[in-house]
């Protein structure tokens, strides 16, 4: 709990003394998650006292209302930008408001707030710039095949490329809030290769994930979307492929 | 006869472009490119020997092949340029949508502060 306490203290003092006390924010892209988002926000708030920003990706249900009632700040997108476009909106908001650390989590309850301590620790200790909550046991056979293909073509030596459960430090946030990152459509291969190309260190951290409380995957729900996604991602991975950096072993995390 | 038809098409396209620019239906930047293409058509139509000479220099036995190949190449380049431009527009659009969402959230916070 030490790291969480550290971040709580940082956030509490950040408005007055931002220079010496960095601050953190939770970013949550959401699309039609009215059924689950209230509980997901409550679960996070029970565990960590950080501002929660919900980026509503033009939902047609009451996601905005539920998120506001639960105490989150909502960034309402007037047109659907997809999961990455929504996440990037949150990252731009983090830059605009001077946050130093951004934690991205799904709004469907898959990501367990209790894993935050473990995920934040390597970034807080300066061991890496981005930590990814990896749970390779989850997902269908199709998702596992997709992972293998994406890793082969992009050269990324990471376990869970598609996980949206991540912690970014200030350098990573700045890179991903840039115009260049707006050209990306998904948060996996393109985002990770962009970070890697800028010399930022990415680390997998094994975490447990839960079943979705509501809804379904926006990609892995039909063969057509999977085909489009794979073609898009493999082409991007091949065109931006660079020599893979040494995989950072989670056992390097100390404390 | 074919040459005359091709030349007439070139002139008609050039006139159409001028009309579209005049009616504010086409930006003058795009009109400039299209007028050049129309001029190419007109040259091809009214002076076919011009292409014949170039084709002969390139060693092409059948000169119209040169015109067709050039035409297809110009079209492919134009379509590629259109996609590049579309990517820029999509990018700017996405950044604007994101900024509107951020401003809306900030505005709501300020209003809540004012109401307190």
């Amino acid at each position: 709990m030490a790291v969480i306490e550290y971040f709580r203290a940082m956030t509490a003092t950040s408005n007055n003394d931002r220079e010496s006390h960095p601050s953190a924010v939770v970013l949550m892209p959401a699309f039609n998650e009215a059924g689950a988002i209230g509980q997901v926000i409550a679960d996070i708030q029970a565990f960590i006292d950080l501002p929660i920003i919900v980026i509503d990706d033009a939902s047609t249900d009451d996601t905005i209302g539920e998120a506001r009632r639960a105490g989150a700040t909502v960034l309402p997108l007037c047109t659907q930008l997809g999961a990455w476009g929504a996440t990037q909106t949150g990252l731009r908001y983090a830059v605009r408001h001077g946050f130093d650390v951004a934690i991205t989590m799904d709004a469907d309850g898959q990501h367990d707030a209790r894993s935050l301590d473990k995920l934040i620790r390597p970034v807080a200790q300066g061991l890496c710039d981005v930590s990814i909550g990896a749970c390779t046991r989850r997902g269908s056979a199709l998702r596992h095949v997709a992972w293998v293909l994406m890793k082969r073509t992009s050269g990324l030596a990471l376990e869970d490329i598609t996980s949206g459960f991540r912690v970014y430090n200030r350098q990573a946030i700045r890179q991903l809030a840039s115009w260049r990152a707006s050209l990306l459509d998904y948060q996996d291969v393109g985002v990770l290769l962009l970070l890697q190309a800028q010399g930022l260190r990415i680390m997998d951290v094994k975490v447990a994930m839960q079943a979705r409380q509501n809804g379904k995957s926006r990609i892995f729900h039909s063969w057509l979307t999977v085909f489009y996604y794979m073609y898009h991602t493999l082409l991007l991975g091949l065109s931006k492929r660079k020599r893979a950096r040494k995989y950072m072993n989670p056992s390097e995390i100390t404390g | 006869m074919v040459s005359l038809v091709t030349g007439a098409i070139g002139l008609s396209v050039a006139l159409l472009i001028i009309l579209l620019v005049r009616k504010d239906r086409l930006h003058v930047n795009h009109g400039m490119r299209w007028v050049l293409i129309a001029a190419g058509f007109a040259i091809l139509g009214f002076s076919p020997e011009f292409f014949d000479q170039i084709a002969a220099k390139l060693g092409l036995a059948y000169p119209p092949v040169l015109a067709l190949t050039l035409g297809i190449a110009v079209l492919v380049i134009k379509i590629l340029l259109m996609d590049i431009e579309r990517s820029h527009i999509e990018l700017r659009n996405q950044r604007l949508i994101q900024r509107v969402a951020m401003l809306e959230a900030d505005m709501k916070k300020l209003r809540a502060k004012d109401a307190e």
Side-chain angles (χ1 to χ4, degrees), chain A residues 101-166:
Chain A
V101 172
I103 302 157
T104 57
M105 295 177 78
D106 285 359
D108 56 11
Q110 269 199 98
H111 301 152
D112 191 347
R114 285 170 297 185
S115 303
L116 275 173
D117 192 40
K118 201 177 169 188
L119 197 61
I120 291 169
R121 192 177 294 271
V123 176
Q125 291 176 337
L127 292 171
C128 63
D129 302 292
V130 180
S131 62
I132 301 177
C135 179
T136 46
R137 283 177 304 152
R138 80 191 158 102
S140 57
L142 193 61
R143 190 187 284 262
H144 284 264
V145 172
W147 277 340
V148 172
L149 286 171
M150 284 193 265
K151 283 184 217 174
R152 287 273 167 87
T153 48
S154 66
L156 282 166
L158 292 158
E159 280 189 34
D160 194 342
I161 287 177
T162 55
S163 170
F165 194 18
R166 297 178 185 175

Side-chain angles (χ1 to χ4, degrees), chain A residues 129-130 132 150-151 153-159 161 166 168 171-172 175-176 180 184 187-204 236-237 240-248:
Chain A
D129 302 292
V130 180
I132 301 177
M150 284 193 265
K151 283 184 217 174
T153 48
S154 66
L156 282 166
L158 292 158
E159 280 189 34
I161 287 177
R166 297 178 185 175
Y168 300 101
Q171 288 94 323
Q175 287 300 330
L176 296 181
R180 205 171 171 197
L184 301 169
Q187 66 181 347
D188 38 54
V189 171
V191 166
L192 297 173
L193 284 173
L194 192 151
L195 290 169
Q196 206 175 58
Q198 298 304 315
L200 300 181
R201 299 156 300 159
I202 308 166
M203 182 186 275
D204 270 323
L236 186 73
K240 290 191 178 281
R241 185 188 168 101
K242 280 197 176 168
R243 194 170 63 84
R245 283 164 194 276
K246 184 181 170 291
Y247 169 62
M248 296 182 71

Side-chain angles (χ1 to χ4, degrees), chain A residues 68 74-76 85 88-89 92-93 96-97 177-179 182, chain B residues 91-92 94-95 97-99 101-106 108-109:
Chain A
R68 280 189 182 139
V74 179
L75 308 186
Q88 199 201 25
T89 310
R92 288 184 67 189
Y93 185 86
R96 200 180 167 92
H97 289 268
S178 68
W179 279 78
S182 294
Chain B
L91 182 64
R92 274 184 289 187
Q94 177 154 333
R95 301 290 289 192
I97 292 165
Q98 291 176 334
R99 180 170 280 198
M102 288 189 287
L103 291 174
E104 209 172 319
D106 286 346
K108 197 169 174 63
K109 268 189 183 171

Side-chain angles (χ1 to χ4, degrees), chain B residues 34-70:
Chain B
W34 281 109
V35 167
L36 285 177
I37 289 169
F41 264 97
I43 292 169
L44 180 66
F46 295 121
S47 310
E49 41 312 323
F50 175 68
F51 264 86
D52 292 349
Q53 283 169 10
I54 296 172
K57 278 184 185 166
L58 291 171
L60 289 170
Y62 187 58
V65 169
L66 176 65
L68 285 172
T69 310
L70 281 176

Side-chain angles (χ1 to χ4, degrees), chain B residues 4-18 37-39 41-43 46:
Chain B
L4 284 177
V5 170
T6 313
I9 288 172
L11 282 181
S12 308
V13 169
L15 281 173
L16 183 67
I17 300 305
I18 290 163
I37 289 169
F41 264 97
I43 292 169
F46 295 121

